[in-house]
Amino acid sequence: MRRTNRKNIRRTARLLTGMKRAALCLLCITLLAGAAGCKITPAGDPPIPVSGNEVHIMNGIVYEPTKNLQKTGEHVVLTVPHPNGITTGTAAAAYVNLDIGTEGCNYYVVDWGDGTWSYNGPFASEESYKVTAEVYHTYRKAGEYNVKACSVNLTAGTLYGWTEAKAVKVSGDDFPGDMIADVVPICSSFAGEGFECENIADGSNATRWQSEVSGAAASEDSEGVEQFVGYLFDGYYTLDTLEIKFPADAPVFPSNISVEYTTDGGRVWYMLPHYYYVLPNSEGYYSCVMNFPDPMGATLSLPLDGIAANGIRVKCLTYPAYSPDNNSFSVEEMRAYGTKGTFFFTSYDGYYNADLSNMWTIFGTAKTEPRVYNAVGNGGQNPAEFRAGATMTASIEWTEWNGLQLDWSGYDEALQIHVNSLKKAVYGGDGWYYDEEKGKYVVDKSEYKGNPNDDGFIWATSSAPQHLDAQNHYTNNSALIIASRDYLLTANDTEGFLESKNAKGQVMLDKLRKAMEYMLVNLNGESGLMTIYDPRNDGTVRGMASNYWDSLNFFGYNSAYENILFYQAILAMGDIEAFIGNTSEAERYAALAEKVKAKFNSYFWDNSKGRYITSVNVKGDVLDFGVTFVNFMAVSAGLASQEQAQQIYDWVDGKRIIKTDTSTGADIYNFKVSARSNTVAVETIEEDGLHYWWYNGHSFADVLPGQWGEYGNQMQNGGTIFYTSFYDVSGRALVSGDLAISRFNTIMEEFHKDSLRRAPRPLPGNFYQVSIVGEFPESGLVPLSFLTAIIGVNPDVKGLKIDSRLPSDMDFAGVSEYNYANRKYSITVDKSLTEPSVTLEGGVYNVKVPAGRTFYITADSRIIEE
């Protein structure tokens, strides 16, 4: 999907006809500077200079009805939910599905009746699960329109439909939208005089851009067939919609098209996976046939979901197999809509702010991402070829992470799913008990039905106590408490939350208190150390894993991971009690937290290695697999001293070498985006012919040589899971902003290459060496770390806390929208300020505070300093 910078510069130089030579030189210099990652211009100034005579002040596209005959067909079901209640300027939805099962996935095209089409995909249509897709459009003029839809199968290229028309009535004033008017048209080539790329901006349907003639239908992504046209903008925009009008009389329309954006003036282009279905991480493993129906005069109107860019283009990838030997791609008009600026912003120049914002959009809210089964809460369980960013997994293990990403986001649909998962959570039996006669703990799964001694165990889901029907996870209690605290303190529509009941009649506040009591009493947390007495989770080679890292059965009995979360849950429970005015209980938890912190450090810290060990199992074996993320979590939770934190980061940064480790020095960050999960290979420790690995004896996933689990092949054994960088960056920020940004900027450099749409496969079928896309919605925590650790915005009992840790070379940073206490905020921390301020503009409270000091925003939008 990428082309070299120099190639784009040559194309730009050849094609931007009439541009002043000085402006063109400046454009080339800008592209080269952006390619080198340089800081290009002062923050806020347009990074792409455009001379006055190249600024196009444009009107909107004049829509025309399609000349496509749209032959009525079968199997597509179209629903327009509010046919008489659509207003201009508001996104309208059409719901479409197939009434038959198909092989592979499909995408859907909707003709809105106003001269525009939209499409979206991919979506499954299986015999057992026929997905209803959503396609959106914003009408610009009132009127009565006839809506139709069709579907195209990506495996065979079969078109289903079109449907019979359904009438809709649209009311309201004309809605022009925020059109980006200052642009430079760009293209791959043009057919000669009269077909230049400037024609797409001239407001006339009588002219067009047309590419040079290419060869016959070519293989996907071949140089001979990639033809494009688009715009470079006068700055960075958060994009809303792209409109592309195609001529009615083109002899052939491309089979596969792609919509792409750039953040560096055209050096690197990124695809949008709603509009083309071979993702970068699937190239070479998957291909598709879009067989896109010819719009024949209609305008494609495509939501862009808030992606940030300084350029956009539409690209022809292949022509239909039946097309003639000589083909060309043509577009009559193109318009892009969006607002100036980016979601996150800093004093850094160039593409940094756009990339940072896009990392959040792709992996945080994931609104740009395909949902094959169209379920926001299903954790990105797309088929392998469509692994992408995902919004959330609505089960207890993920609740803390879901809340961190969604509580403040304004993504109401996803937030409601998250809150419901908290409310629906149940406590019950844990499947084991202490047998007085035998003098030991024993397993009895009938205990899951409930027992007065253990009924504070939080189940994995509202209907299942165990993860994968196999493992008790002893992090669920902590996750529920922490997530509930975070939701309460962010204070968006929280009324009645603590009084809510689940299907078993369990009241939320009682549930949280029982969850804490279980850890304090049943697991002996009152001693300062939480111990997992479950005989299945004993931390031995024959045990089960006790947390998210479900292959690692060394997490059991006295486990550092579970005790870190236990410490955080105690603090969270204290906050909940303080929130409801229970001061004595809040103070009790504060004192207990200090006890746990001291015990954690005396028990888990290894002075000789300068890091935290992994666990101590039921036999008393001290286990240390050099688990990087355990150490990051401990630092970010505030358990480590400054000296301990520095020792940990000196270790992972290669300044200290632990000679007994498998991975040392620079190799610890071999995968760049995050550290290896462990620096001691699981296979180096063997007991009774077994390893500390859940898949013992499973040849395909074992840690034996050449298998998936071998060190460096698998995310849980020498591979990596991206989300751990959240704790890495957050812990570093507690040491210094410079230490945090050094790691974060390495991630940013990697993101610029491919938007982290990568899933290396060291062995066939093994996607799990570097886990970023797919069923890892927690990847969104990494861009979030910039907000929570560097800008330093986090909910607190006192209000919304701002405790920034800007690096030495960053003058200011901020977020353009943060939802707190049912109000919208734009928050900036700035080293040049001496006093805080808050102003209200257009329904948004603009908060600006001096960097390096601690402030709180109260629920009534006052600013107080600590």
Side-chain angles (χ1 to χ4, degrees):
M1 290 301 189
R2 301 189 297 275
R3 296 292 173 263
T4 65
N5 190 47
R6 294 185 183 279
K7 187 172 183 179
N8 274 300
I9 291 172
R10 288 198 300 271
R11 287 173 172 170
T12 303
R14 178 163 54 94
L15 300 169
L16 298 183
T17 57
M19 183 177 242
K20 292 180 178 178
R21 181 171 297 179
L24 180 58
C25 291
L26 283 171
L27 176 58
C28 295
I29 291 168
T30 301
L31 291 174
L32 285 169
C38 300
K39 295 182 178 180
I40 304 166
T41 58
D45 289 351
I48 301 172
V50 179
S51 63
N53 61 350
E54 292 302 319
V55 174
H56 300 275
I57 308 301
M58 303 177 293
N59 297 316
I61 293 175
V62 178
Y63 303 146
E64 295 179 338
T66 180
K67 289 184 169 56
N68 189 306
L69 296 179
Q70 297 179 314
K71 183 179 178 181
T72 302
E74 298 179 328
H75 302 306
V76 179
V77 180
L78 168 66
T79 303
V80 182
H82 305 291
N84 296 314
I86 299 174
T87 57
T88 55
T90 302
Y95 298 95
V96 282
N97 65 276
L98 288 170
D99 63 8
I100 58 170
T102 63
E103 179 183 351
C105 291
N106 308 273
Y107 69 95
Y108 294 89
V109 183
V110 174
D111 180 339
W112 296 98
D114 62 348
T116 69
W117 292 8
S118 303
Y119 73 104
N120 193 11
F123 295 100
S125 183
E126 302 167 359
E127 286 293 345
S128 59
Y129 191 59
K130 296 178 176 64
V131 174
T132 297
E134 300 168 7
V135 183
Y136 288 94
H137 174 57
T138 299
Y139 283 99
R140 300 196 182 279
K141 291 182 177 294
E144 295 186 6
Y145 303 104
N146 291 316
V147 181
K148 301 178 181 180
C150 72
S151 176
V152 181
N153 179 259
L154 291 171
T155 300
T158 304
L159 186 145
Y160 300 98
W162 294 73
T163 65
E164 297 285 353
K166 292 198 173 184
V168 299
K169 186 174 183 179
V170 179
S171 60
D173 298 330
D174 286 0
F175 176 72
D178 296 317
M179 187 168 59
I180 302 173
D182 298 326
V183 298
V184 174
I186 59 170
C187 58
S188 52
S189 65
F190 61 97
E193 186 175 354
F195 295 103
E196 298 87 352
C197 54
E198 285 83 0
N199 290 345
I200 68 171
D202 65 5
S204 171
N205 292 346
T207 61
R208 70 186 63 177
W209 163 79
Q210 185 171 308
S211 72
E212 291 178 338
V213 170
S214 75
S219 62
E220 191 172 311
D221 291 337
S222 67
E223 280 294 326
V225 78
E226 287 191 348
Q227 300 161 335
F228 66 83
V229 67
Y231 291 127
L232 298 180
F233 307 141
D234 65 323
Y236 288 97
Y237 288 81
T238 298
L239 299 180
D240 177 77
T241 307
L242 177 67
E243 293 185 346
I244 313 160
K245 188 178 188 306
F246 295 100
D249 58 355
V252 66
F253 191 78
S255 172
N256 287 11
I257 59 175
S258 178
V259 176
E260 301 175 346
Y261 64 95
T262 182
T263 62
D264 61 8
R267 175 177 177 259
V268 182
W269 291 91
Y270 312 98
M271 56 88 73
L272 286 163
H274 284 312
Y275 305 125
Y276 180 56
Y277 307 120
V278 180
L279 280 74
N281 41 284
S282 291
E283 289 180 352
Y285 299 95
Y286 172 75
S287 61
C288 70
V289 181
M290 288 179 67
N291 269 1
F292 200 94
D294 191 342
M296 297 187 70
T299 298
L300 289 188
S301 177
L302 306 177
L304 298 179
D305 301 303
I307 207 74
N310 64 358
I312 193 84
R313 71 183 186 182
V314 60
K315 184 166 70 172
C316 162
L317 295 172
T318 61
Y319 287 102
Y322 61 78
S323 58
D325 290 340
N326 297 310
N327 298 296
S328 61
F329 185 35
S330 54
V331 170
E332 286 183 355
E333 294 290 310
M334 182 183 291
R335 303 290 183 271
Y337 293 81
T339 55
K340 200 75 173 278
T342 55
F343 185 76
F344 287 112
F345 51 90
T346 73
S347 60
Y348 286 178
D349 307 330
Y351 47 73
Y352 190 94
N353 299 325
D355 283 359
L356 173 57
S357 300
N358 289 341
M359 196 193 305
W360 170 250
T361 300
I362 292 169
F363 295 110
T365 60
K367 290 183 178 180
T368 55
E369 303 304 284
R371 292 198 297 263
V372 171
Y373 296 100
N374 202 22
V376 174
N378 83 339
Q381 297 292 336
N382 287 346
E385 60 268 30
F386 303 121
R387 294 168 67 83
T391 304
M392 63 188 297
T393 294
S395 61
I396 295 301
E397 192 92 57
W398 277 261
T399 51
E400 179 192 358
W401 302 331
N402 292 341
L404 285 169
Q405 294 177 211
L406 297 172
D407 287 341
W408 59 278
S409 68
Y411 189 177
D412 292 339
E413 179 187 3
L415 178 58
Q416 193 58 55
I417 294 171
H418 166 59
V419 174
N420 285 340
S421 75
L422 302 179
K423 293 177 179 179
K424 291 177 181 179
V426 302
Y427 58 81
D430 55 15
W432 57 274
Y433 69 100
Y434 186 77
D435 189 314
E436 295 285 352
E437 293 184 4
K438 295 180 179 179
K440 64 179 183 179
Y441 294 96
V442 297
V443 174
D444 181 356
K445 289 195 173 184
S446 67
E447 291 290 305
Y448 287 126
K449 297 178 181 179
N451 182 297
N453 294 321
D454 59 10
D455 65 357
F457 177 65
I458 300 298
W459 287 12
T461 69
S462 59
S463 59
Q466 294 189 299
H467 172 70
L468 302 178
D469 273 340
Q471 298 177 349
N472 274 18
H473 282 187
Y474 288 92
T475 49
N476 291 343
N477 288 46
S478 294
L480 179 66
I481 293 169
I482 297 166
S484 297
R485 183 272 313 272
D486 291 346
Y487 173 63
L488 278 173
L489 298 187
T490 310
N492 291 310
D493 298 319
T494 55
E495 185 177 352
F497 174 69
L498 291 177
E499 294 75 35
S500 63
K501 296 180 181 180
N502 62 19
K504 294 188 176 183
Q506 298 167 346
V507 177
M508 191 75 214
L509 181 57
D510 294 341
K511 184 166 59 183
L512 297 172
R513 286 171 170 165
K514 282 185 177 291
M516 177 54 68
E517 181 185 13
Y518 180 85
M519 293 188 288
L520 294 176
V521 178
N522 297 53
L523 305 183
N524 198 32
E526 287 181 321
S527 69
L529 178 68
M530 191 182 87
T531 301
I532 303 169
Y533 296 111
D534 185 341
R536 297 162 296 187
N537 298 61
D538 60 4
T540 70
V541 291
R542 290 182 169 83
M544 290 287 187
S546 301
N547 59 51
Y548 166 95
W549 295 80
D550 54 12
S551 292
L552 304 178
N553 54 10
F554 49 63
F555 286 128
Y557 200 64
N558 287 330
S559 170
Y561 186 102
E562 282 73 11
N563 273 275
I564 294 167
L565 288 172
F566 172 54
Y567 171 72
Q568 292 176 298
I570 290 169
L571 295 174
M573 198 69 216
D575 286 343
I576 292 169
E577 297 291 359
F579 179 83
I580 62 178
N582 197 344
T583 305
S584 61
E585 277 295 279
E587 291 173 350
R588 181 173 79 90
Y589 283 118
L592 180 57
E594 289 302 312
K595 180 180 180 179
V596 172
K597 182 175 182 178
K599 184 68 174 180
F600 183 88
N601 281 290
S602 65
Y603 194 86
F604 292 108
W605 181 255
D606 184 337
N607 262 321
S608 64
K609 292 182 179 177
R611 70 187 182 203
Y612 291 105
I613 65 169
T614 307
S615 60
V616 178
N617 68 21
V618 72
K619 299 188 299 179
D621 299 331
V622 176
L623 303 175
D624 179 15
F625 285 87
V627 182
T628 55
F629 57 85
V630 163
N631 283 267
F632 300 154
M633 290 171 66
V635 178
S636 66
L639 284 162
S641 67
Q642 283 284 305
E643 181 183 359
Q644 288 171 316
Q646 192 63 61
Q647 285 184 275
I648 288 167
Y649 287 113
D650 284 349
W651 157 51
V652 295
D653 288 342
K655 296 177 182 179
R656 291 195 304 114
I657 301 298
I658 299 176
K659 294 182 179 180
T660 55
D661 282 5
T662 309
S663 175
T664 60
D667 182 68
I668 293 174
Y669 283 104
N670 175 68
F671 301 110
K672 305 295 185 183
V673 297
S674 46
R676 291 188 187 271
S677 298
N678 53 309
T679 59
V680 177
V682 168
E683 52 265 46
T684 61
I685 300 177
E686 183 177 322
E687 294 181 16
D688 300 328
L690 301 174
H691 301 102
Y692 284 89
W693 191 249
W694 186 30
Y695 292 99
N696 272 314
H698 294 251
S699 60
F700 78 95
D702 210 339
V703 295
L704 302 175
Q707 303 303 322
W708 283 16
E710 183 181 11
Y711 190 77
N713 283 351
Q714 219 276 352
M715 60 190 176
Q716 300 189 58
N717 185 28
T720 191
I721 307 183
F722 182 45
Y723 91 93
T724 60
S725 284
F726 169 77
Y727 297 104
D728 190 352
V729 172
S730 298
R732 289 171 185 268
L734 294 179
V735 178
S736 74
D738 284 348
L739 188 63
I741 208 68
S742 66
R743 175 94 287 271
F744 193 82
N745 283 354
T746 297
I747 297 167
M748 290 289 290
E749 290 169 7
E750 292 298 305
F751 180 84
H752 190 70
K753 296 174 182 178
D754 57 6
S755 298
L756 298 185
R757 297 191 187 278
R758 57 179 75 166
R761 307 182 191 192
L763 293 171
N766 178 11
F767 304 96
Y768 299 112
Q769 181 190 51
V770 179
S771 293
I772 305 172
V773 295
E775 59 271 35
F776 299 93
E778 57 273 22
S779 290
L781 293 170
V782 181
L784 181 71
S785 68
F786 190 88
L787 174 65
T788 58
I790 295 174
I791 303 175
V793 180
N794 294 280
D796 187 272
V797 173
K798 295 180 182 179
L800 187 62
K801 185 177 183 179
I802 307 172
D803 185 18
S804 62
R805 297 175 185 271
L806 299 188
S808 57
D809 65 345
M810 185 179 289
D811 297 326
F812 64 83
V815 60
S816 61
E817 182 179 326
Y818 191 107
N819 292 271
Y820 169 68
N822 299 315
R823 294 182 178 184
K824 291 186 185 299
Y825 290 87
S826 173
I827 300 171
T828 304
V829 294
D830 191 327
K831 290 179 180 177
S832 69
L833 297 178
T834 57
E835 296 297 329
S837 66
V838 56
T839 58
L840 178 61
E841 299 176 23
V844 177
Y845 291 85
N846 295 297
V847 171
K848 297 182 179 181
V849 299
R853 290 153 57 184
T854 303
F855 299 90
Y856 297 89
I857 302 172
T858 64
D860 58 355
S861 302
R862 292 177 295 112
I863 302 176
I864 57 175
E865 186 168 5
E866 187 170 69

